[in-house]
Amino acid sequence: AQSVTQLGSHVSVSEGALVLLRCNYSSSVPPYLFWYVQYPNQGLQLLLKYTSAATLVKGINGFEAEFKKSETSFHLTKPSAHMSDAAEYFCAVSRNYGGSQGNLIFGKGTKLSVKP
Amino acid sequence: DTEVTQTPKHLVMGMTNKKSLKCEQHMGHRAMYWYKQKAKKPPELMFVYSYEKLSINESVPSRFSPECPNSSLLNLHLHALQPEDSALYLCASSQDTRGRGNQPQHFGDGTRLSIL
């Protein structure tokens, strides 16, 4: 069965500092992995996805993630944090459910705070 | 602006009321999803429709009744809800569920439901 674990329920960085949000996955088959962001009172917005085409995936808003099979990780990074990056971030893996693909299993989420 | 539109944005109802949540997308997607999200938690899958047919029901109580009238619309009918059903209800869509699981889901901004 697939699952994802996000390390750290809350991460705080200073504006301009590196953002690193950690996600480890468990999957018996090659996984499809996603990062979503949720701003207050909004739905989830796709940041980026890994679908095996390239191990380094670039997303929106300057975020990127690297798929490392040896470490079963898919950590999200951004070189320089901006105040507008403050939000909840969810890592997710696509679940194979009775032959039906595409259902997501979410991690518990990491709340990112950005200090001025 | 999200491409998945949910109405209403907020709903307050008593335990004896009947109400409906509505979700609409015009991206030509053939899979649509209902999620429930409690505060500070990840979304939990409730229902999946694939090509207008219910394909997954995650053991949701019968007081929640989904309906997919056509490929663009998804409703969630509510009746005799309990206070613990208060949550953010998110709708999502994806191209379909017959692929390899690499298709991202697009989320609406949700309906915030409060049960008195």
Side-chain angles (χ1 to χ4, degrees):
Chain A
Q2 291 103 328
S3 66
V4 289
T5 302
Q6 291 184 243
L7 300 175
S9 60
H10 191 190
V11 171
S12 182
V13 301
S14 297
E15 192 173 18
L18 171 72
V19 175
L20 171 60
L21 304 182
R22 299 176 187 274
C23 174
N24 288 90
Y25 70 89
S26 172
S27 178
S28 57
V29 297
Y32 296 114
L33 296 161
F34 306 84
W35 274 101
Y36 284 88
V37 60
Q38 186 174 31
Y39 299 100
N41 300 314
Q42 292 187 22
L44 278 69
Q45 181 182 6
L46 179 70
L47 278 176
L48 49 81
K49 65 176 182 178
Y50 169 73
T51 58
S52 76
T55 56
L56 183 61
V57 182
K58 294 189 184 300
I60 62 171
N61 302 339
F63 284 94
E64 62 182 36
E66 186 172 8
F67 175 77
K68 292 187 177 180
K69 185 177 179 180
S70 60
E71 298 177 10
T72 62
S73 69
F74 190 57
H75 301 332
L76 183 71
T77 60
K78 181 174 181 178
S80 177
H82 192 273
M83 297 296 291
S84 61
D85 294 326
E88 188 85 24
Y89 291 80
F90 292 99
C91 181
V93 64
S94 183
R95 176 175 66 163
N96 185 340
Y97 187 104
S100 178
Q101 309 289 349
N103 302 311
L104 296 174
I105 300 173
F106 288 94
K108 292 187 176 181
T110 298
K111 182 177 180 178
L112 176 66
S113 299
V114 182
K115 299 173 291 187
Chain B
D1 290 339
T2 57
E3 296 168 317
V4 177
T5 304
Q6 290 188 243
T7 54
K9 292 192 183 304
H10 301 274
L11 179 62
V12 179
M13 58 187 287
M15 290 190 284
T16 59
N17 294 155
K18 286 185 180 180
K19 297 285 185 183
S20 297
L21 309 184
K22 181 180 173 182
C23 173
E24 195 166 2
Q25 58 87 14
H26 294 288
M27 295 178 283
H29 290 172
R30 304 309 298 272
M32 297 187 76
Y33 310 77
W34 278 116
Y35 289 87
K36 174 183 178 180
Q37 186 180 26
K38 301 284 277 186
K40 302 185 188 303
K41 299 288 188 183
E44 299 174 6
L45 183 66
M46 299 175 72
F47 303 103
V48 180
Y49 272 83
S50 177
Y51 290 83
E52 296 89 70
K53 286 186 173 23
L54 183 65
S55 62
I56 295 176
N57 177 339
E58 292 281 18
S59 303
V60 179
S62 60
R63 57 185 184 268
F64 295 91
S65 176
E67 179 196 20
C68 190
N70 59 56
S71 60
S72 300
L73 277 176
L74 185 66
N75 298 319
L76 186 63
H77 303 298
L78 314 173
H79 174 54
L81 295 193
Q82 304 297 309
E84 61 265 27
D85 297 323
S86 297
L88 180 69
Y89 288 84
L90 293 164
C91 174
S93 71
S94 67
Q95 194 169 340
D96 61 40
T97 62
R98 296 179 181 176
R100 295 174 295 154
N102 59 344
Q103 300 151 11
Q105 293 181 21
H106 299 257
F107 286 80
D109 282 339
T111 294
R112 190 160 298 282
L113 177 65
S114 298
I115 307 299
L116 301 179

